Amino acid sequence: MDKKKELLKKDKKYVSPSYTRPYPLVVNSGNNMYVYDVNGKEYLDFTAGIATCSTGHCHKSVVQAIKDQSEKLIHMSGTDFYYESQILLAEKLNEILSKRWPVYKWPGKLKHSRLGSKTVWKSYFCNSGAEAIEAAIKLARYHTERPLMIAFQGAFHGRTMGALSLTASKTVQKSKFSPLLPQVFHFPYKLESIYEIESAFKSYIPPREVAAIFVEPIQGEGGYVVPTYEFHQRLYELTRKYGILYVVDEIQTGMGRTGKMFGIEHFGVKPDIVCMAKGIASGMPLGVMSAPSYIMNWKPGSHASTFGGNPISCAAAIATIDLLENELIENSKKMGEYLRDKLKGLAGEFSSIRRVRGKGLMVAITVHSIELRDKIIQKAYENGILLLGCGEDSIRFCPPLTVKSWQIDTMISVLRDIVFRSW
Ligand SMILES: Cc1ncc(COP(=O)(O)O)c(C=O)c1O
């Protein structure tokens, strides 16, 4: 039996069946845009380990940072001790966030009200996207002393019980896990919902009891749905009117994925809480929840995690951010445009592609049916291209931000010549 078959057999026997693997890829190693399976077969990776290996697989600067840090200190727990890489990362995140949102305007009538004051952003460190969302739920309640939350249909915010209460992407993710957090209200992810929320505020949701609205700048798992500029603008106005925190889930859209450091920058609003994970540390486990210092006003002991903000993950994040700022965000913007153009060309040739959408290197196409989508992904895999689905009938393209135009050309020609033409 070959190595891959042997491992797949053991996986079936010993690993939780809750994971959803679209094809039997057993990865052995990775190098920038490529991964290699245990039998040595090469694949061009347009998934980046679900939009996470932002700097490509095993970028040498990130690997070096991991090596250097792991020779010095692997763990000490930021819950009880201080260490350099976590502090330096928090300082860097403040630089990034306060450069974008330097003056904080808070017109709410809360006791912590500050109008036009200078902001220092503080960061809470954890291990994953879901944990960053959990932290934001807790901080929003703690700071506002309000219980209710609003989120959107199609949203994916993670699978731990708090985050899952906000998630509304696929019923299989929620089925048999109730009761979840009570009084989380979901609305469709579109401009018309602003009127619905306003009307709900008059009938069944007391707006001054809403702690936060959680929103993805662009919906990820829900189908790479890009809302209108006005959607975020109007939603933001509502939050200012009622003193509700605007929490942006930048777990997938953040760290350069959309051609800007944060997805919400495309929509001109100033978030109150920013959640990050995935691309921030090039694949090392790290989640971050950042907020202006007077919002992050919880007391010692109110929230923490043993492994959160591990020294190695923080060192990897610092190296990652350096690469993002130096060239990769720019490449994401440029290659994103190139990728969308090429996919639009393909859509012109094959009527089974209905739509191309996205920003930066967060791009998706919609096809006619779920069956067709799954077949395309399968056939691409058999021909050395890694893709993933999202939403009901979409295929997403979220390669490492290092991708080059000729690698996009290679992927497109496999889709054209081998995948689409053969139908
Ligand atoms: C927008 C968004 N939020 C939250 C999460 C959850 O992150 P994690 O899987 O690291 O818990 C994801 C993961 O796909 C995501 O895309």
Side-chain angles (χ1 to χ4, degrees):
M1 200 188 290
D2 73 10
K3 189 159 187 198
K4 177 168 145 174
K5 280 198 182 130
E6 200 181 307
L7 286 167
L8 286 171
K9 208 170 147 202
K10 285 188 185 175
D11 181 282
K12 195 171 167 58
K13 191 164 173 192
Y14 300 119
V15 176
S16 162
S18 59
Y19 306 120
T20 49
R21 280 73 169 259
Y23 35 74
L25 171 71
V26 185
V27 189
N28 182 49
S29 63
N31 180 6
N32 200 353
M33 275 293 296
Y34 296 90
V35 295
Y36 301 87
D37 78 2
V38 284
N39 291 339
K41 185 169 175 191
E42 180 182 272
Y43 295 86
L44 191 50
D45 183 11
F46 276 80
T47 75
I50 324 188
T52 296
C53 299
S54 47
T55 57
H57 292 277
C58 304
H59 190 291
K60 65 176 186 322
S61 311
V62 177
V63 171
Q64 194 58 50
I66 291 170
K67 276 187 182 161
D68 292 348
Q69 182 59 51
S70 61
E71 279 171 7
K72 254 189 353 199
L73 179 74
I74 292 176
H75 173 77
M76 196 57 202
S77 197
T79 57
D80 291 61
F81 305 98
Y82 304 98
Y83 45 83
E84 192 177 15
S85 59
Q86 190 176 88
I87 297 167
L88 294 185
L89 177 57
E91 183 186 33
K92 183 69 197 172
L93 289 170
N94 170 61
E95 183 197 308
I96 291 170
L97 290 158
S98 62
K99 192 161 100 190
R100 283 157 179 86
W101 302 297
V103 175
Y104 193 74
K105 293 202 173 109
W106 180 252
K109 290 197 173 51
L110 294 173
K111 61 183 175 194
H112 304 292
S113 165
R114 301 270 194 292
L115 193 60
S117 60
K118 262 260 185 252
T119 300
V120 172
W121 287 75
K122 290 196 170 192
S123 292
Y124 167 85
F125 294 100
C126 49
N127 306 287
S128 68
E131 279 186 48
I133 295 291
E134 292 293 330
I137 293 171
K138 288 178 74 174
L139 181 64
R141 280 193 168 167
Y142 189 101
H143 176 74
T144 61
E145 296 174 14
R146 299 174 178 193
L148 311 185
M149 273 160 292
I150 288 176
F152 292 91
Q153 289 169 17
F156 188 84
H157 296 292
R159 297 167 184 269
T160 51
M161 293 304 258
L164 187 60
S165 312
L166 299 171
T167 287
S169 173
K170 294 193 180 83
T171 45
V172 66
Q173 294 156 352
K174 292 188 115 155
S175 177
K176 301 193 183 183
F177 298 127
S178 288
L180 299 172
L181 283 186
Q183 298 208 287
V184 174
F185 300 94
H186 287 92
F187 291 88
Y189 190 66
K190 55 184 182 189
L191 183 60
E192 291 74 13
S193 284
I194 311 300
Y195 304 105
E196 275 189 47
I197 297 172
E198 275 180 320
S199 127
F201 281 174
K202 290 185 191 124
S203 50
Y204 66 97
I205 304 177
R208 304 227 171 248
E209 289 177 29
V210 179
I213 294 185
F214 282 74
V215 63
E216 290 165 273
I218 295 170
Q219 272 191 351
E221 306 303 301
Y224 280 25
V225 183
V226 186
T228 59
Y229 187 83
E230 222 189 336
F231 166 76
H232 279 293
Q233 286 285 322
R234 296 285 319 280
L235 191 63
Y236 189 65
E237 279 167 24
L238 263 191
T239 60
R240 300 308 88 177
K241 189 166 163 193
Y242 295 108
I244 297 167
L245 296 175
Y246 203 86
V247 182
V248 285
D249 180 341
E250 293 276 4
I251 289 157
Q252 188 152 172
T253 50
M255 315 325 288
R257 173 58 53 194
T258 68
K260 291 185 187 282
M261 182 62 90
F262 298 109
I264 199 65
E265 290 179 69
H266 294 282
F267 302 96
V269 303
K270 297 175 180 162
D272 299 306
I273 296 181
V274 179
C275 297
M276 294 161 256
K278 285 194 181 283
I280 193 169
S282 295
M284 289 298 290
L286 182 69
V288 184
M289 187 271 294
S290 301
S293 56
Y294 63 90
I295 289 181
M296 199 173 284
N297 64 344
W298 45 16
K299 288 196 165 52
S302 43
H303 198 43
S305 148
T306 300
F307 291 119
N310 168 273
I312 302 174
S313 294
C314 289
I318 292 168
T320 299
I321 291 170
D322 198 40
L323 293 163
L324 294 178
E325 287 187 320
N326 280 332
E327 72 177 296
L328 295 184
I329 297 179
E330 195 47 40
N331 193 57
S332 169
K333 185 168 173 244
K334 239 173 45 201
M335 285 302 106
E337 280 162 19
Y338 187 82
L339 173 60
R340 276 196 306 285
D341 279 354
K342 291 282 165 184
L343 287 169
K344 279 179 189 159
L346 209 60
E349 289 174 57
F350 301 101
S351 60
S352 47
I353 302 177
R354 280 169 32 208
R355 250 170 6 109
V356 178
R357 60 183 180 280
K359 284 201 188 288
L361 287 169
M362 184 173 184
V363 180
I365 58 173
T366 304
V367 295
H368 276 305
S369 65
I370 301 174
E371 294 72 37
L372 178 61
R373 189 267 306 269
D374 292 348
K375 272 191 202 159
I376 293 168
I377 290 173
Q378 187 62 34
K379 200 134 190 227
Y381 161 69
E382 286 161 17
N383 287 282
I385 305 289
L386 301 183
L387 299 172
L388 281 173
C390 63
E392 287 230 319
D393 47 10
S394 299
I395 299 170
R396 66 175 121 176
F397 300 81
C398 52
L401 308 185
T402 52
V403 69
K404 302 239 179 333
S405 58
W406 64 267
Q407 291 161 332
I408 293 174
D409 292 343
T410 304
M411 180 274 293
I412 292 284
S413 70
V414 170
L415 286 191
R416 175 190 293 112
D417 300 337
I418 301 172
V419 179
F420 282 100
R421 260 197 198 135
S422 64
W423 267 301

